[in-house]
Amino acid sequence: MTDHKMTDLTKGYPAKDYKVIGKPVPLIDSRAKVTGQALYTDDIRLHNPLIIKILRAPCPSANILSVDISAALALSGVKGVLTGADFKNNFGVLSISKDEPAIARDMVRYMGEPVAAVAAENAEIAAHALRLIKVDYEITEGVFNSKEALKPTDHPLHPELNKKNNLHKEILQEFGDLDQGFSDADVVIKKRFRFASINHGFTEPHATQVQIDNKGNITVYSATQVPHYLHMALAEVLEIPEHNIRVIKPHLGGGFGGKSDPFPHEMIAAKFALDLGRNVKIKFDREEVFFSHHGRHQTDLTMKLGYSRKKGITAIDLDTLIDGGAYGSFGIVTTYYNGVLLQGPYKLPNFRFHVQRLYTNKPMCGAMRGHGGVNPRFASEVLLDMACAELDIDPAESRLNMIHKENTLTTNEFRVTSVGLHNGLTEAIKRTKWKEKHGKLPFGTGIGVACGFFISGSALPIHWNKLPASTVRMTIDYDGGVTVYSGAADIGQGSDTMLAQMAAEVLGQPLENIKIISADTRTTPVDLGSYSSRVTFMAGNASRNAAIRMRRILIEAACDLLEMIPPEYDRPDAPDNFFRQGGRKPDFEQGFLGANPDYADGFIIEDGLIRSEKHNASVTYLDAVTKALEFGGILQTSGTYRAPKLGGKFKGAGAGLSPSYSFTAFIVEVTVDPETGFIKVDKATCAHDCGFPLNPLAVRGQIEGCIHMGLGQALMEEMIYDSGATQNPSFLDYKIPSAFEQPEVDIVPAYSDDSEGPFGAKEAGEGILAPVIPAIANAVYDAIGIRLTQLPMRPDRVLSALAKEREKNQEAGT
Amino acid sequence: MKLLNLTINGRKHTKAVSPSMTLLDFLREELNLTGTKNGCDKGACGCCSVMIDDKPMLSCLLPALEAEGAAITTIEGIAKGNALHPVQEAMIEMGAIQCGFCTPAMVINGVHMLAKNNNPDDDEVKECISATVCRCTGYNSIEKALHLAASKMRRAAHDGS
Amino acid sequence: MTAPKKDFDFARPKTIEQLYNLVQECQHEGRQFIFSAGGTDIMPNLKSEILSPDIVISLTGLRALNNIEKQGDHIIIGALTSLSELCSNNNIQKYLPALARAAHKVASPQIRNRATIGGNIMVENRCSYINQSPINRESHSPCFKIGGDVCHLVKSAKRGDDILCQARFVSDTAPLLLLQNSTVNIIGPAGSKEIKLADLYLNDGIESKSLMHGEIITHIKVEITENSLSHYEKLTIRNALDFPSLGVAALRRGNGDISVALTGLNTRPGVFHAKLENHETSDDMIVDICRKANDFTVTYQQDFFPRGYRKNMISVFIRRAINKILEGAKS
Ligand SMILES: Cc1cc2nc3c(=O)[nH]c(=O)nc-3n(C[C@H](O)[C@H](O)[C@H](O)COP(=O)(O)OP(=O)(O)OC[C@H]3O[C@@H](n4cnc5c(N)ncnc54)[C@H](O)[C@@H]3O)c2cc1C
Ligand code: SF4
Ligand code: FES
Ligand code: FES
């Protein structure tokens, strides 16, 4: 029987008498979900909606000569047909690459691209109507891989860019002295690595419903991670004022980055609703999800790494081609992240990266869990392992010695604040009996290590402005109930629960007293969305700050009732960064840790009472609320988060800047069958430094989920294309690992307390993923002595590598 | 259109349906029982699992008319009023629910397994959920939840006897 | 929302008589019909428009065909027995444990609760081109299997070839049933008959079964081989859901002879024998069978695993299956 006990992830932390924070709390919407009551987008029932279906291009590259919709329009029950001509403005999540039309206009750029859409009284009619649309395609020669896309051409995918090739973005950055770095090294290794594109595989297919009122206002219910960006894109594409649009994200069945762009079907649905004055509904088939993709970029990279016994890694030189597919999506950010995220978790004094993102005639790639950092991380962690093997150094020890110290600047001027990796990895080494195993296990079994590093939210918004990155509104009603309004999108990761925890802790309320209203652009203040692991850090801080303000109001009201002089809060109206350290400014230089509000005012809210410790007097919480309400009739505060000024002064310095970074170490144990090439991951031990774990249960869930996804990318997942045509757009053919493949997981605490994170917390959703994969590869090397440089590490690749290795050894032997 | 008679969560229904409508669409679109999810519509994600005459099956692979005369239990029929089934309780307790899209199917399959055998080993638990995709949890917490539910049920059975 | 693209009618006759009245009616009216048992194979094919009948005739109303019985030295399995019933049936576990194992390896628990043994031995051959979304198929010209004039897998194939279509045979249960000298009972408009299971399978991916349109399988009669041992091994990347990239059933008779049957590689299952008297050691027998299997098999790239890998795995899996049996024989 499995052991149900869980490691206490808060072990090692200074005792804190939090009531809600740091406790394992099931997500607050669990009950709705476990009974089937939670409504996801497609579960909502609008009055008499039209059903939308999209006609998708059956070819990856073509000119559209004509689209004849007359027969479809004439079909009884069809209410409208849209084509590319109906949309003037393109869109894109990044303001610097708005290159995607809602419906292809003159050109098809990937197979499965929308070329027309139908709205009809029911699904059968809509499907029938699609068959009646005649599209005249002139098939053109497509570009299907990055290398080809680099070649000059007179017919690029995006003629509007006025370029003579298909290069979307190129970045070359160099820090330190690369030559010096390599000459300092005891060993220099260079290798080429290849990575298949992979899909998010979220379980809920894309869906959108639009409700229209009789004044032309639309409410867009959509399965999106970014209601705010969707809101902006809709206004731009539809050319209507933003206030006519309300975007609501219902329960969301997984995102992982795959729902973090505005999508064509969202534009199409909204346009139909506006044009036809009817509610509308669209839901994707699974194959449409795969055709739309937006997954992790297919990558072809060459990395050179220098390593010195004394200094650790001395230099990395990275040259990468990433295959972006047809449109921009988050691609420019991906391009940067491929390079800059190598700045941790170790010191990296000399560093160059050259990344090129190409347009090809394939479904676009974009953000996916571990955005941009996953593939280069695989390369650097495998090369590091090779260097250690060559110099006969323990790869785990070696890593321990190179980890960033707390409160340092990286070579490209990232500000690293808290680092809990050292103690975490040390503990993992102990717990796994690494020293007794590594290099000592019998042939076929192995153990490997790898580490990772990730941002806790991008410090810069993707549309530059001076507004806070996240704002939370908080109210308390006559009945004492607290409501938190946040634009943050709970995508299953549990952000609503986290926001509630913040409020509950500061206001001394049980979690049940906190209600969350989130991700509704009409009622909730702006949050930029659930991407780049920003929500806990940013929305979390905003919620906490709103609660601190609220608490002050309640304490003052209590004092009024108790006829006491209220505490003198230093600056009650100070901007939110004032609250960061319970009154003290975060002082990175001085290495100040412990971002917890000190309740130095001498009051405690608990059990429905507000108590003055000093005077041993109390009033009920409800009386204080009533008193506070006397003044304005409503009780409301706001809290914000904005990242401090960070980063260097060079071009591109903003990429990868984050107020804080998470760190992860994995030790993975595998069994490899040398006859079949099957790799079985037996156990994964994870030390993830997410600062103070606000909700150990949620952190554990994120870790186990990342292991699952990493395992998939490592061993079996891959988007298969044949001349641009997606070959495996189904859950049968796209191989997502089952429960049988998931290893046993052990989680060891990795203590840190972030000076700026809410209650010391950092991200726990994405950074965990990247090191899973190289840890497996390094364990495979330990097991059978081969280095795999291509993902997925399919059994046939294992066997080929083994055969080559044998050949080599034989040659060496003769 | 053809007439369909069946019992769902203890309630009898008679409804005219299109012969090519799947049971999944019937539940979701005709009866508004949206707890059963459509993740792939082709038998490969498990999200549409419902119990038909006490056995979990995929409602997306079944013409609704195939369920003529059958007794069906969907996720909406698992809890007894406010009292959750031990599997549901354990799923919550173990943090086995993230986005929740797979959850109804996990519950259906878990409830069935434990009804047959309240002392499953690790492999039986894995087997039970092996064909239901969960992209969020990595399955570990779901397995733990099913083991926990099993022990709750064993205890209840022991106390009851 | 994705009901099968073409609407179909549905009927569930309760008796064989009703069934054949309906079949005759359809033939008379020129309505295309297909049979459905568990429907787990045909439903995805209906949805992706590989099949587009006017009516689906369900066999699940024929309750009499859902039973397992031991009759002398045979086990009679009703064609409508679900795979999960098969797995848990006492007689099967006792006399045909490898069949239970093979059935257990099909698809998923939920599917096995529905899927039938008749449907499994009749499961449609698969090909990476045809078992695709309609958009994908639209991007190529239609292939032979859907009435077109090319094969996208074997570009050189042309009408008039012996084998037109290479869509591969994927049933997990057929190999073992073949080794057990099974026969199938068939009824059709013209009456009933019994044929060898081996004769059910033809060489071509399109006409892959010898049943006449309108005939149904009522029972499978499986020989209980005294003192025999058998085993089934399946190659898939995941331990759930996947069709066999390669499946090997092995049987050792009381007299020491060994037979092996393969699935997942070719348009039809392959069966190979090695007689004890012709070989010095059991290893020789294995080598002999592997050689035969390798000769027979033409595997095309139409699977998660590359063709070469699957080819290499044939011997590995045959050896594993036989060794498993030999271990069992020792103990
Ligand atoms: C996700 C998924 C995974 C799968 N994995 C596997 C796998 O690993 N291995 C495997 O073998 N299969 C697999 N299948 C296919 C299928 O589920 C099984 O083969 C199943 O056993 C088919 O049985 P059924 O009763 O559902 O067949 P049906 O779909 O009802 O019928 C299949 C075919 O057999 C014919 N037929 C059925 N019964 C009779 C009868 N009594 N007489 C004459 N003809 C009949 C039908 O007309 C039809 O042509 C999978 C399917 C899915 C959706
Ligand atoms: S093998 Fe058969 S199904 Fe596949 S492409 Fe050729 S003809 Fe079509
Ligand atoms: S929706 Fe039925 S299995 Fe995926
Ligand atoms: S909880 Fe999201 S798919 Fe399982």
Side-chain angles (χ1 to χ4, degrees):
Chain A
M1 265 263 315
T2 320
D3 181 13
H4 300 136
K5 278 201 305 271
M6 297 191 176
T7 308
D8 181 6
L9 290 183
T10 55
K11 213 172 84 189
Y13 286 78
K16 288 175 178 163
D17 48 4
Y18 294 142
K19 298 264 159 21
V20 188
I21 298 287
K23 305 279 182 295
V25 191
L27 305 189
I28 53 178
D29 50 12
S30 294
R31 195 183 167 99
K33 286 171 175 172
V34 84
T35 52
Q37 287 163 346
L39 294 183
Y40 298 72
T41 300
D42 191 55
D43 301 338
I44 290 167
R45 295 292 173 254
L46 298 179
H47 179 67
N48 196 24
L50 294 172
I51 305 299
I52 299 173
K53 287 204 177 277
I54 293 179
L55 183 68
R56 296 180 179 277
C59 46
S61 174
N63 293 319
I64 301 176
L65 302 180
S66 66
V67 185
D68 180 357
I69 58 170
S70 51
L73 266 177
L75 186 69
S76 156
V78 170
K79 294 294 156 180
V81 180
L82 291 172
T83 68
D86 295 303
F87 294 91
K88 205 170 76 209
N89 296 336
N90 286 353
F91 64 92
V93 67
L94 302 183
S95 48
I96 34 178
S97 57
K98 292 188 185 170
D99 55 5
E100 187 178 2
I103 299 182
R105 255 176 246 115
D106 310 317
M107 221 174 162
V108 169
R109 294 188 177 86
Y110 69 96
M111 191 173 112
E113 180 162 17
V115 287
V118 171
E121 292 294 352
N122 66 39
E124 288 68 39
I125 300 174
H128 185 185
L130 289 189
R131 284 165 220 251
L132 299 177
I133 298 175
K134 296 263 169 314
V135 186
D136 196 1
Y137 297 105
E138 177 192 39
I139 304 293
T140 50
E141 204 180 314
V143 186
F144 302 124
N145 65 55
S146 310
K147 286 241 162 72
E148 250 179 89
L150 274 175
K151 292 184 189 151
T153 171
D154 289 332
H155 303 286
L157 266 87
H158 289 276
E160 74 277 10
L161 299 178
N162 295 318
K163 281 190 194 167
K164 287 281 178 204
N165 60 22
N166 284 304
L167 184 65
H168 172 214
K169 179 77 188 173
E170 176 167 19
I171 297 166
L172 177 68
Q173 284 190 351
E174 187 169 345
F175 304 94
D177 182 342
L178 215 60
D179 291 338
Q180 184 63 46
F182 284 120
S183 70
D184 284 350
D186 294 322
V187 52
V188 175
I189 309 176
K190 184 172 169 184
K191 247 188 176 344
R192 179 176 170 209
F193 296 87
R194 277 170 299 163
F195 305 83
S197 180
I198 60 163
N199 185 266
H200 314 86
F202 43 74
T203 45
E204 179 206 20
H206 299 282
T208 299
Q209 300 206 45
V210 184
Q211 186 171 30
I212 185 154
D213 70 7
N214 52 16
K215 300 186 203 82
N217 296 312
I218 53 172
T219 302
V220 178
Y221 298 89
S222 199
T224 179
Q225 293 175 245
V226 287
H228 178 63
Y229 292 137
L230 173 58
H231 192 194
M232 289 164 57
L234 284 167
E236 194 171 339
V237 172
L238 303 172
E239 302 178 281
I240 58 171
E242 280 188 30
H243 65 80
N244 286 9
I245 306 169
R246 174 178 184 184
V247 177
I248 296 178
K249 175 214 64 80
H251 282 288
L252 189 85
F256 314 111
K259 293 170 181 166
S260 61
D261 296 76
F263 273 79
H265 67 275
E266 295 170 323
M267 310 298 144
I268 292 169
K271 174 113 178 110
F272 268 134
L274 285 168
D275 286 2
L276 305 172
R278 286 276 299 269
N279 296 339
V280 299
K281 168 170 182 162
I282 180 167
K283 177 199 166 258
F284 277 19
D285 292 348
R286 179 55 57 181
E287 63 197 40
E288 291 183 282
V289 177
F290 279 106
F291 287 135
S292 304
H293 194 40
H294 289 66
R296 189 167 341 278
H297 290 65
Q298 191 271 333
T299 302
D300 187 339
L301 70 82
T302 302
M303 186 183 279
K304 186 170 150 190
L305 177 139
Y307 182 87
S308 130
R309 277 178 203 284
K310 277 210 218 81
K311 296 182 178 159
I313 298 177
T314 55
I316 285 182
D317 190 4
L318 167 70
D319 201 342
T320 303
L321 295 178
I322 60 174
D323 182 345
Y327 295 104
S329 181
F330 268 98
I332 292 177
V333 178
T334 321
T335 311
Y336 274 108
Y337 281 5
N338 260 271
V340 296
L341 289 179
L342 287 169
Q343 279 290 301
Y346 321 119
K347 288 181 304 232
L348 178 52
N350 310 295
F351 174 42
R352 176 168 70 184
F353 66 91
H354 179 213
V355 189
Q356 291 167 288
R357 182 181 193 267
L358 289 313
Y359 284 124
T360 59
N361 290 99
K362 292 196 288 197
M364 81 196 79
C365 293
M368 180 168 170
R369 205 178 205 174
H371 192 184
V374 174
N375 296 344
R377 170 79 50 214
F378 180 81
S380 64
E381 289 292 315
V382 168
L383 290 179
L384 176 58
D385 210 63
M386 292 174 76
C388 291
E390 194 149 326
L391 298 176
D392 206 12
I393 295 174
D394 182 317
E397 284 290 332
S398 143
R399 282 172 169 85
L400 272 182
N401 296 333
M402 298 188 298
I403 295 166
H404 283 307
K405 300 281 168 302
E406 293 194 324
N407 301 314
T408 42
L409 280 183
T410 68
T411 310
N412 66 342
E413 300 186 40
F414 288 176
R415 183 195 81 170
V416 172
T417 49
S418 59
V419 183
L421 188 59
H422 199 278
N423 60 58
L425 179 55
T426 307
E427 178 67 18
I429 291 173
K430 225 169 44 204
R431 282 261 275 272
T432 54
K433 303 203 165 65
W434 166 269
K435 296 236 160 92
E436 292 150 51
K437 289 180 181 166
H438 183 252
K440 303 186 180 97
L441 294 169
F443 186 78
T445 50
I447 188 165
V449 63
C451 298
F453 162 87
F454 206 71
I455 57 175
S456 257
S458 174
L460 305 178
I462 57 186
H463 298 267
W464 173 244
N465 63 48
K466 289 195 165 163
L467 298 171
S470 189
T471 306
V472 158
R473 179 156 73 96
M474 194 170 289
T475 61
I476 299 185
D477 268 328
Y478 284 83
D479 55 17
V482 180
T483 309
V484 180
Y485 299 81
S486 161
D490 194 321
I491 60 175
Q493 87 282 42
S495 67
D496 283 355
T497 307
M498 180 275 302
L499 293 174
Q501 280 184 284
M502 297 285 147
E505 187 66 45
V506 175
L507 295 174
Q509 299 298 305
L511 207 53
E512 304 78 63
N513 274 17
I514 317 289
K515 308 287 182 293
I516 305 291
I517 294 182
S518 66
D520 173 345
T521 60
R522 170 90 13 109
T523 57
T524 66
V526 170
D527 177 271
L528 299 179
S530 292
Y531 62 93
S532 82
S533 285
R534 53 180 299 290
V535 173
T536 291
F537 208 89
M538 301 193 173
N541 262 319
S543 179
R544 177 175 158 277
N545 290 336
I548 291 177
R549 284 210 168 93
M550 187 63 89
R551 185 177 178 282
R552 291 183 172 188
I553 295 173
L554 293 178
I555 302 292
E556 276 163 1
C559 290
D560 222 359
L561 290 172
L562 291 169
E563 299 180 350
M564 283 167 44
I565 300 166
E568 228 171 274
Y569 295 117
D570 292 349
R571 291 164 58 198
D573 303 320
D576 279 319
N577 54 7
F578 176 79
F579 293 119
R580 276 187 194 127
Q581 308 305 332
R584 277 166 292 184
K585 285 180 92 175
D587 195 342
F588 154 66
E589 270 77 27
Q590 288 171 23
F592 178 81
L593 288 176
N596 312 310
D598 51 6
Y599 302 122
D601 57 14
F603 287 85
I604 287 179
I605 311 183
E606 69 185 357
D607 303 332
L609 294 177
I610 300 184
R611 244 185 20 244
S612 161
E613 298 254 82
K614 205 159 66 197
H615 297 96
N616 198 14
S618 65
V619 292
T620 69
Y621 163 76
L622 269 180
D623 284 345
V625 167
T626 310
K627 182 78 202 161
L629 278 164
E630 268 176 17
F631 180 65
I634 59 168
L635 197 42
Q636 167 164 309
T637 61
S638 82
T640 61
Y641 178 80
R642 56 182 98 226
K645 261 202 162 3
L646 296 166
K649 297 229 156 31
F650 51 93
K651 186 171 186 303
L657 281 183
S658 172
S660 190
Y661 297 89
S662 77
F663 293 81
T664 313
F666 265 99
I667 293 183
V668 163
E669 291 161 75
V670 303
T671 307
V672 187
D673 181 336
E675 226 177 11
T676 61
F678 268 69
I679 299 169
K680 169 104 183 72
V681 179
D682 300 312
K683 185 168 180 189
T685 303
C686 174
H688 177 62
D689 162 25
C690 59
F692 185 73
L694 299 176
N695 182 355
L697 202 59
V699 171
R700 170 172 285 272
Q702 289 298 321
I703 292 175
E704 291 167 345
C706 277
I707 292 171
H708 159 80
M709 251 184 205
L711 182 87
Q713 183 177 3
L715 301 185
M716 57 189 81
E717 289 181 35
E718 116 183 72
M719 293 293 292
I720 302 170
Y721 296 103
D722 177 7
S723 305
T726 310
Q727 294 299 296
N728 54 344
S730 69
F731 273 168
L732 186 57
D733 294 324
Y734 182 88
K735 308 291 185 187
I736 289 178
S738 80
F740 279 116
E741 283 73 53
Q742 178 78 355
E744 181 192 338
V745 176
D746 189 18
I747 299 173
V748 303
Y751 166 76
S752 85
D753 194 357
D754 197 75
S755 53
E756 210 168 316
F759 294 96
K762 303 188 282 190
E763 79 92 26
E766 296 195 75
I768 304 159
L769 194 151
V772 176
I773 310 171
I776 295 174
N778 292 341
V780 169
Y781 174 77
D782 191 48
I784 57 170
I786 56 159
R787 293 286 178 191
L788 292 163
T789 54
Q790 189 174 4
L791 295 189
M793 299 182 258
R794 287 198 321 242
D796 53 291
R797 290 184 175 145
V798 173
L799 286 194
S800 311
L802 260 178
K804 255 193 223 134
E805 185 68 19
R806 279 199 199 108
E807 240 169 65
K808 223 169 58 195
N809 291 344
Q810 264 162 16
E811 271 165 31
T814 51
Chain B
M1 293 296 231
K2 290 199 164 161
L3 219 53
L4 168 65
N5 302 284
L6 75 181
T7 307
I8 297 175
N9 302 329
R11 199 177 132 199
K12 282 200 163 54
H13 293 265
T14 300
K15 242 181 142 99
V17 300
S18 149
S20 46
M21 175 174 265
T22 61
L23 179 63
L24 175 59
D25 283 349
F26 178 72
L27 293 171
R28 291 182 53 83
E29 308 302 326
E30 301 293 317
L31 299 186
N32 212 0
L33 291 169
T34 55
T36 307
K37 304 297 181 204
N38 183 344
C40 75
D41 215 27
K42 299 247 173 74
C45 76
C47 289
C48 64
S49 299
V50 297
M51 229 117 55
I52 302 181
D53 295 331
D54 287 332
K55 286 195 177 135
M57 297 185 191
L58 301 177
S59 59
C60 73
L61 290 189
L62 209 66
L65 288 173
E66 217 22 290
E68 173 70 32
I72 291 175
T73 309
T74 67
I75 185 66
E76 288 90 349
I78 297 290
K80 298 277 165 277
N82 271 333
L84 297 183
H85 188 282
V87 169
Q88 292 172 307
E89 284 175 0
M91 293 274 291
I92 295 177
E93 205 174 313
M94 281 290 148
I97 303 159
Q98 288 185 33
C99 83
F101 202 76
C102 70
T103 306
M106 294 293 180
V107 171
I108 291 280
N109 286 292
V111 165
H112 170 256
M113 172 189 65
L114 295 179
K116 282 200 318 189
N117 170 12
N118 67 14
N119 196 6
D121 62 25
D122 280 351
D123 256 14
E124 284 165 316
V125 167
K126 278 185 191 290
E127 167 80 25
C128 161
I129 59 167
S130 62
T132 306
V133 175
C134 177
R135 196 54 161 170
C136 301
T137 63
Y139 308 104
N140 306 81
S141 53
I142 300 175
E143 290 171 27
K144 286 199 189 104
L146 293 178
H147 280 298
L148 176 66
S151 66
K152 284 183 186 212
M153 288 169 73
R154 285 197 301 274
R155 214 172 309 132
H158 184 79
D159 294 349
S161 63
Chain C
M1 289 281 81
T2 39
K5 303 288 155 42
K6 188 181 142 192
D7 279 3
F8 54 77
D9 197 0
F10 179 90
R12 192 159 72 145
K14 290 209 169 61
T15 62
I16 301 274
E17 199 187 345
Q18 281 181 8
L19 172 73
Y20 281 107
N21 287 340
L22 183 62
V23 165
Q24 262 166 13
E25 206 179 289
C26 289
Q27 280 167 341
H28 189 71
E29 292 167 3
R31 294 211 295 161
Q32 300 279 343
F33 64 90
I34 58 167
F35 292 133
S36 155
T40 60
D41 183 42
I42 61 159
M43 281 302 276
N45 286 347
L46 282 165
K47 291 183 195 211
S48 46
E49 298 169 64
I50 296 166
L51 297 169
S52 45
D54 299 309
I55 178 166
V56 170
I57 302 179
S58 169
L59 305 177
T60 55
L62 309 174
R63 304 250 176 215
L65 303 188
N66 181 354
N67 62 334
I68 300 176
E69 239 176 76
K70 181 165 180 292
Q71 285 182 5
D73 49 5
H74 284 91
I75 303 248
I76 317 284
I77 307 172
L80 285 163
T81 308
S82 77
L83 295 178
S84 54
E85 282 163 44
L86 190 77
C87 295
S88 57
N89 180 275
N90 287 338
N91 278 325
I92 300 289
Q93 288 190 346
K94 183 156 172 214
Y95 299 105
L96 301 166
L99 179 62
R101 180 178 158 89
H104 189 74
K105 295 236 166 222
V106 172
S108 67
Q110 298 100 309
I111 289 180
R112 291 193 297 275
N113 282 337
R114 188 81 212 164
T116 65
I117 183 72
N120 193 262
I121 62 172
M122 285 295 291
V123 64
E124 190 58 58
N125 286 28
R126 297 176 70 84
C127 154
S128 53
Y129 163 73
I130 199 89
N131 294 104
Q132 276 282 358
S133 69
I135 299 186
N136 251 2
R137 285 201 311 276
E138 216 186 300
S139 70
H140 300 62
S141 46
C143 74
F144 294 125
K145 196 166 165 128
I146 42 175
D149 248 339
V150 284
C151 170
H152 298 289
L153 214 58
V154 187
K155 306 269 196 276
S156 60
K158 54 185 185 313
R159 284 215 182 269
D161 287 354
D162 278 354
I163 299 178
L164 200 53
C165 164
Q166 295 287 349
R168 65 194 177 99
F169 183 79
V170 291
S171 166
D172 273 310
T173 59
L176 200 96
L177 290 171
L178 285 165
L179 298 184
Q180 302 279 4
N181 293 329
S182 305
T183 56
V184 287
N185 291 73
I186 295 169
I187 48 171
S192 59
K193 62 183 173 189
E194 182 174 322
I195 64 166
K196 286 196 187 134
L197 177 61
D199 294 335
L200 181 65
Y201 299 124
L202 306 178
N203 274 329
D204 194 89
I206 301 172
E207 292 296 324
S208 57
K209 321 281 185 307
S210 64
L211 277 196
M212 306 289 283
H213 195 49
E215 287 182 333
I216 65 161
I217 297 171
T218 55
H219 295 92
I220 304 164
K221 203 164 126 193
V222 193
E223 199 177 278
I224 300 172
T225 325
E226 281 296 309
N227 299 323
S228 72
L229 285 165
S230 52
H231 189 65
Y232 184 68
E233 285 285 337
K234 175 173 176 177
L235 168 67
T236 51
I237 187 72
R238 297 178 287 193
N239 249 315
L241 213 63
D242 291 336
F243 281 94
S245 297
L246 158 67
V248 177
L251 176 90
R252 181 179 181 270
R253 288 174 201 284
N255 66 5
D257 292 352
I258 293 177
S259 305
V260 152
L262 304 178
T263 185
L265 295 165
N266 201 312
T267 53
R268 62 181 299 165
V271 182
F272 311 94
H273 308 283
K275 284 201 179 306
L276 182 64
E277 60 196 36
N278 299 341
H279 299 279
E280 306 254 302
T281 63
S282 55
D283 212 57
D284 285 351
M285 295 173 83
I286 297 177
V287 170
D288 184 32
I289 288 190
C290 289
R291 186 183 47 75
K292 289 175 183 156
N294 271 315
D295 279 354
F296 162 82
T297 312
V298 196
T299 59
Y300 284 87
Q301 170 68 55
Q302 41 175 322
D303 184 64
F304 174 82
F305 293 108
R307 177 184 173 183
Y309 176 80
R310 275 157 71 221
K311 207 163 164 64
N312 290 337
M313 283 306 107
I314 296 172
S315 308
V316 174
F317 275 66
I318 289 180
R319 187 172 289 275
R320 283 194 176 183
I322 296 178
N323 282 336
K324 192 92 191 172
I325 291 173
L326 297 177
E327 273 166 34
K330 268 183 231 142
S331 62

